[in-house]
């Protein structure tokens, strides 16, 4: 096989961080080589160097055996390198054809878009990438947008394609389909770099796997010789339990009841329709679904951040429908929001200020309008210790914490008020495996305390399957099916996530 | 007083409205180019003032309004490039840096005028160029086909710009860097180059706007534009970043100005209230803006400097 790419001893430093530490990485024609690692392990940095977005401080890069310097994306494109970024690089106000044509049309001013759109149709037919060349990007679903990104690469006939976390936004069915296309592209002689942290996907797609941790290569393995546990341990640097131990539980009384909820989305279209749920103490109800099917609106409505059109929400016997967030909290709801940096914490505030954010108005944290620093520090220190939040001190700004530690802080704060209901939205998204494992254990522990009902909203099906006692699948704002975790299978849930209801 | 409703007066007023709209139209069209690429240039009025002085002074010295217009364009080009350096390369805060350019233009144009001219002297102006046959159509002919050449060119620039923005590769690049510069960059489009080009086009048109204003009047004075450059920026929003919309807004302003002017010369608005009356076009334009502008969305990356990998 031809050696398409070789990166030797690549070093990239950022102020205070060694993002890439003498990394060696190579890619042959016809293979899928995965870069696996936690957030901040250096995967994206390495690929940004390859795509000319960053310049390496040391090391060399060989394309088909020739030492090459890539100083800009234009250079990368001219060397036959393509990249499907995690955040799609599409212009929403342009059509599919215009997006594909962007930057490729002859240097003359006029565009021959007809030609481009014909070629898109050919490519979409030969690769099974259904997409309408005349549609505007804003009209497309995330899955379709991704197809446009892949077509962009095919249109330029790239030899080497980098895919940065391409499955994050897809249903299990769409992932299977994507993998078929990628495999076909590799078989046709292209080289693919797949970036991911989802272990079963990595094992399903890859030929070779290189694991990065803290900017260094921890090892390179053939996919056929690898196991999930082995890869996870390489990523984290210690043995890891992938599925939490979950003892069977007796459930108690219903603590969160939602009846016939109808909610409007931001664009004035129905986001939730006739949605009913019950969560009992001692159980975790998981809401599975592809991003954008009403999960955010559901969480916001329960938390009092969005007013429902009709329906009722009750915590214990307290009707909280349409009440403001502080009243909902007072009724016993704890909320771990999806956007933790934006909604869950105040980055410029210190760790201890964030710890008491929701109960600073009440004794003992404040008295007669004055914050009581002694009490606050004592309480925060205790929570930091209890939840092993890794922080240099109580006074550093919360924005300095890693995603995992910030999430531990939020969870500590939310659980400190002994809630009746815990609403956790995407609690481990973008969090490293170690912290995710920890958060999962704490959720299971809360379930074991038998005093709290837990509603877990997650787009990570593995997380739902690992934690939930019951699984409800949400699709276009409706619950299309509900199953007991014991009887749940990935394929059946995947179908429901794509809108095929359980009765069909 | 009744004669203000006579056909001649109405036609003359509307025709003067069209002329008054032109500097604004050119300036806001140029600003629309810059904003579509994601750069807000608040310095338009300053560029107009220097373009106006350059155009006036050249015309005064050479008796050639065309040479004056050319100098206006040149001044606009230089200041457009300067604005690009500040906003695109130096990544300045666009809400502030343009004000610097404005103050520079305001002060510098007055200084040059005081040093080089001193007392206002009238300069040559453009000749009217009635279009054969068309200008002889009653009413319509006088309204639309009996102007000077720069005015025809200004209105011609509207469809030309529409085609450039919507139908050419360059226009697509402008829209792309204004909506999602990261995407454009990753496709191999130079965000810097496209923004330089768009902002510089804006500068050239602002310079032209100033020159056309000064040469049209045949004089220059301190703060000749009377903040029309800022109205031009507002009109870009009013016109939803589209050349046709920008033209409609400019015409509203021009027509209202012409009517106010008429009422003043006829003494219907008393002299004592003429400062108040001078505000009316701006006020009405801003009101129209508030009513009309809500439906459209600004370019997503407007005012956001682009830093690769940032």
């Amino acid at each position: 096989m031809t050696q398409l790419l070789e990166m030797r001893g690549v070093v990239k430093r950022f102020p205070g961080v060694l993002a890439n530490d003498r990394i060696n990485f190579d890619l042959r024609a016809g293979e899928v080589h995965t870069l696996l690692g936690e957030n901040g392990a250096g995967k994206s940095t390495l690929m940004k160097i390859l795509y000319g977005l960053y310049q390496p401080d040391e090391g060399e890069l060989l394309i088909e055996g020739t030492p090459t310097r890539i100083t800009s994306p234009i250079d990368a494109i001219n060397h036959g390198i393509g990249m499907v970024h995690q955040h799609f690089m599409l212009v929403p106000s342009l059509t599919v054809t215009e997006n594909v044509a962007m930057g490729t049309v002859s240097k003359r001013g006029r565009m021959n878009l007809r030609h481009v759109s014909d070629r898109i149709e050919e490519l979409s037919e030969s690769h099974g990438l259904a997409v309408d060349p005349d549609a505007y990007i804003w009209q497309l679903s995330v899955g379709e947008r991704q197809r446009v990104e892949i077509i962009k690469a095919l249109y330029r006939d790239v030899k080497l394609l980098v895919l940065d976390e391409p499955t994050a936004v897809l249903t299990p069915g769409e992932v299977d389909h994507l993998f078929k296309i990628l495999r076909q592209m590799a078989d046709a002689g292209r080289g693919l770099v797949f970036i991911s942290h989802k272990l079963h996907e990595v094992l399903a797609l890859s030929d070779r796997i290189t694991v990065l941790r803290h900017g260094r290569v921890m090892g390179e393995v053939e996919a056929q010789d690898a196991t999930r546990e082995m890869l996870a341990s390489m990523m984290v640097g210690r043995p890891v339990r992938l599925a939490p131990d979950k003892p069977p539980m007796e459930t108690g009384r219903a603590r969160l009841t939602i009846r016939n909820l109808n909610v409007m989305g931001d664009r004035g279209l129905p986001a939730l329709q006739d949605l009913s749920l019950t969560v009992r103490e001692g159980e975790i109800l998981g809401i599975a679904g592809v991003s954008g099917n009403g999960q955010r609106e559901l969480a916001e409505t329960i938390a009092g951040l969005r007013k429902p059109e009709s329906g009722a929400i009750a915590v214990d016997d307290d009707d909280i429908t349409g009440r403001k967030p502080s009243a909902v909290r007072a009724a016993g709801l704890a909320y771990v929001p999806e956007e933790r940096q934006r909604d869950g914490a105040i980055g410029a505030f210190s760790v201890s200020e964030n710890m008491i954010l929701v109960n600073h108005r009440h004794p003992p944290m404040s008295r007669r309008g004055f914050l009581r620093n002694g009490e606050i520090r004592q309480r925060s220190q205790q929570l930091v210790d209890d939840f092993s939040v890794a922080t240099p001190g109580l006074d550093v700004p919360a924005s300095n914490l890693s995603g995992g530690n910030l999430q531990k802080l939020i969870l500590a704060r939310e659980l400190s008020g002994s809630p009746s209901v815990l609403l956790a939205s995407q609690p481990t998204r973008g969090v490293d495996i170690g912290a995710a494992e920890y958060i999962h254990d704490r959720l299971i522990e809360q379930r074991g305390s038998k005093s709290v009902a837990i509603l877990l909203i997650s787009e990570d099906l593995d997380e739902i399957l690992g934690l939930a006692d019951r699984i409800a699948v949400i699709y276009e704002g409706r619950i299309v099916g509900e199953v007991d975790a014991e009887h749940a299978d990935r394929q059946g849930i995947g179908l429901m996530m794509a809108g095929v209801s359980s009765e069909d | 007083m009744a004669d203000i409703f006579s056909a001649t007066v109405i036609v003359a007023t509307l025709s003067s409205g069209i002329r008054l709209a032109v500097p604004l139209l050119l300036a806001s069209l140029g600003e629309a180019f810059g904003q579509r690429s994601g750069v807000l240039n608040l310095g338009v009025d300053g560029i107009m003032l220097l373009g106006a002085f350059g155009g006036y002074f050249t015309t005064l010295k050479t008796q050639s309004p065309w040479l004056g217009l050319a100098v206006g364009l040149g001044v606009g080009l230089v200041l457009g490039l300067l604005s690009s350096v500040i906003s695109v390369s130096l990544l300045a805060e666009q809400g502030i840096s343009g004000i610097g350019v404005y103050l520079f233009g305001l002060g510098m144009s007055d200084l040059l005028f005081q040093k080089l001219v001193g007392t206002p002297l009238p300069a040559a102006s453009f000749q009217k160029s009635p279009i054969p046959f068309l200008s002889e159509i009653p009413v319509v002919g006088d309204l639309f086909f009996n102007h000077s050449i720069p005015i025809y060119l200004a209105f011609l620039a509207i469809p030309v710009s529409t085609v450039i923005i919507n139908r050419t590769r360059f226009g697509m690049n402008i829209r792309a860097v204004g909506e999602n510069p990261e995407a454009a960059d990753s496709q191999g489009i130079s965000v810097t180059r496209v923004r330089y080009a768009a902002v510089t086009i804006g500068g050239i048109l602002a310079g032209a706007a100033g020159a056309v204003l000064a040469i049209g009047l045949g004089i220059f004075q301190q703060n000749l534009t009377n903040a029309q450059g800022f109205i031009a920026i507002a009109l870009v929003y009013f016109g939803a970043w589209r050349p046709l919309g920008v033209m409609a807004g400019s015409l509203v302003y021009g027509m209202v100005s012409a009517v106010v002017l008429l009422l003043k010369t006829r003494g219907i608005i008393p002299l004592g209230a003429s400062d108040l009356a001078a505000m009316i076009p701006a006020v009405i334009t801003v009101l129209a803006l508030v009513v009309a502008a809500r439906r459209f969305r600004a370019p997503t990356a407007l005012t956001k400097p682009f830093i690769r990998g940032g």
Side-chain angles (χ1 to χ4, degrees), chain A residues 51-54 71-74 77 85 89-91 93-94 98 102-103 105-109 111 152 156, chain B residues 166-170 172-173 175-177 179-180 182-190 193 297 308-310:
Chain A
Y51 202 61
L53 292 164
Y54 291 147
T71 54
S72 71
I74 307 173
I77 290 165
H85 298 261
M89 292 297 177
L90 298 168
V91 181
S93 58
L94 300 183
E98 289 177 317
M102 211 163 84
V105 198
S106 65
K107 293 290 173 196
R108 291 274 175 77
M111 297 184 289
K152 251 162 63 178
R156 290 171 183 223
Chain B
N166 294 315
R167 302 276 146 162
T168 64
R169 170 192 158 89
F170 174 58
M172 194 171 80
N173 289 350
R175 286 181 286 144
V177 301
E179 290 288 340
N180 189 344
E182 287 78 16
D185 182 51
S186 82
Q187 291 307 296
I189 293 169
S190 165
R193 213 178 296 164
R297 196 180 50 81
R308 179 178 286 166

Side-chain angles (χ1 to χ4, degrees), chain A residues 21 41 59 73 230 350 363 393 413 437 440:
Chain A
D21 187 1
M230 161 185 161
S350 70
R413 179 187 71 208
E437 186 189 19
H440 288 161

Side-chain angles (χ1 to χ4, degrees), chain B residues 238-273:
Chain B
F238 169 79
W241 296 270
R242 283 157 183 78
L244 265 176
V246 157
M247 182 181 80
S250 308
L251 285 172
V252 169
Y253 182 92
M255 292 301 165
V256 177
S257 302
V259 170
V260 170
L261 218 55
L262 172 75
L263 296 180
K264 267 202 312 204
T265 50
R266 294 297 166 114
I268 295 171
I269 297 177
L271 266 181

Side-chain angles (χ1 to χ4, degrees), chain A residues 213-257:
Chain A
R213 172 154 50 94
H214 299 323
R216 288 205 192 143
V217 174
M218 288 293 114
E220 186 200 301
V221 288
E222 299 287 327
Q224 58 198 36
D225 306 330
T227 64
R228 290 178 64 192
E229 281 70 20
M230 161 185 161
L231 293 174
S233 304
M234 284 167 82
M235 280 164 80
V236 181
R238 61 174 170 80
V240 173
R241 261 179 315 109
L242 284 172
D245 302 321
K246 198 175 69 176
M249 287 291 299
E250 287 278 304
T251 58
R253 64 195 166 105
R255 304 211 78 161
L256 175 69
T257 326

